[in-house]
Amino acid sequence: MEKLTLIVVLILSSGIVGGIGNFFRFESNLEAKGYNLVKSVFLGTIAAFTIPLFLNMVSSDLLEFQNAPTDYFVFVGFCLIAAFFSNRFMNSIGDRVIQDLEKIKRKTDVIEEETKDNTEKVEALVEEQTDGGTLTAKPQKLEEIKNEIPAEMADKIFKSFQNEKFKFRTVEGIATDSGLDSTETKALIDKLEQKNIIKRYRGRGGKRIYSLTD
């Protein structure tokens, strides 16, 4: 806490002194002393408070003050310069921050795009797989549920999984292939899932997908 207090005091002092110095740079300021002086001090103080941000952006460890008291004088010097050239300094810092934010956004967009591409590639590989041994178990599975689900409907559900293009199916896809209503299909799928005949997974975007169990 003592270190933080010292930093704040140095920044405030430098901002005020640098702001006053900036005020006396221009003779025209002498004609409107009060307003321009307050303005210069205020902007100088703000600029001085951006020095920690500037040091962080350039990866400087000056604020550690490992070489005291030299580092204190260097830090004060930075604050004074920032306050003395407050307008130019803050414009420069602002431009630098905006550039860094744009770089971060571009990197984030690239990462998101790569992640999306990888996900799509994985899903494509999965969907290209045929549904191995599930078809041979169809008669046994139909026998297990014959008393709960009409055989004709169950048969349509199983046939929808015989599409060799997909290993996983959505409710909409099953409804389209089977010719059943979406609501009816969902109810049948839920019953089959309860019987551990169909297993539910979570696909891209959180969408529910289903596959026959082995």
Side-chain angles (χ1 to χ4, degrees):
M1 184 60 70
E2 293 180 359
K3 181 179 178 181
L4 178 60
T5 302
L6 176 60
I7 291 175
V8 172
V9 170
L10 291 177
I11 290 175
L12 280 173
S13 302
S14 302
I16 293 172
V17 173
I20 293 173
N22 185 31
F23 170 78
F24 284 110
R25 287 175 61 201
F26 307 100
E27 294 183 2
S28 59
N29 287 335
L30 299 177
E31 298 176 2
K33 295 182 179 179
Y35 173 75
N36 285 350
L37 178 59
V38 172
K39 177 183 175 181
S40 296
V41 171
F42 184 69
L43 293 178
T45 303
I46 293 176
F49 269 103
T50 64
I51 287 298
L53 172 62
F54 169 75
L55 295 175
N56 180 266
M57 292 172 62
V58 298
S59 302
S60 172
D61 60 353
L62 181 62
L63 287 176
E64 297 296 329
F65 298 116
Q66 297 176 353
N67 300 316
T70 303
D71 286 350
Y72 290 110
F73 287 104
V74 174
F75 178 70
V76 169
F78 274 116
C79 292
L80 285 171
I81 292 174
F84 193 75
F85 299 101
S86 56
N87 288 332
R88 291 169 56 186
F89 183 79
M90 286 193 292
N91 287 336
S92 177
I93 287 292
D95 291 341
R96 176 70 180 272
V97 170
I98 292 174
Q99 290 176 4
D100 288 348
L101 289 175
E102 289 177 347
K103 288 180 182 178
I104 292 173
K105 185 179 183 302
R106 285 196 294 269
K107 289 181 180 179
T108 302
D109 291 341
V110 170
I111 293 173
E112 288 180 351
E113 188 65 28
E114 290 177 349
T115 302
K116 181 179 178 181
D117 290 342
N118 290 335
T119 301
E120 290 177 347
K121 288 178 182 178
V122 170
E123 290 184 351
L125 289 173
V126 171
E127 291 180 348
E128 287 174 359
Q129 299 177 16
T130 57
D131 198 11
T134 56
L135 300 182
T136 59
K138 176 186 169 185
Q140 180 182 352
K141 293 180 183 293
L142 283 174
E143 185 67 24
E144 292 175 3
I145 60 173
K146 66 179 182 180
N147 295 326
E148 299 184 34
I149 299 176
E152 182 180 354
M153 290 186 176
D155 188 59
K156 289 180 178 181
I157 296 294
F158 279 106
K159 282 184 178 179
S160 69
F161 284 98
Q162 295 180 22
N163 190 331
E164 295 184 351
K165 293 181 180 180
F166 309 105
K167 180 176 177 62
F168 299 98
R169 304 305 308 273
T170 62
V171 171
E172 293 79 7
I174 296 172
T176 300
D177 287 357
S178 63
L180 300 173
D181 179 78
S182 295
T183 303
E184 189 177 29
T185 301
K186 179 65 170 60
L188 294 173
I189 289 294
D190 289 341
K191 288 184 179 180
L192 292 174
E193 185 183 356
Q194 292 173 4
K195 292 292 184 180
N196 198 31
I197 295 174
I198 286 179
K199 189 172 183 180
R200 180 177 61 187
Y201 301 89
R202 189 168 295 278
R204 184 175 57 190
K207 193 175 186 63
R208 293 182 177 182
I209 55 177
Y210 300 86
S211 174
L212 292 175
T213 57
D214 294 329

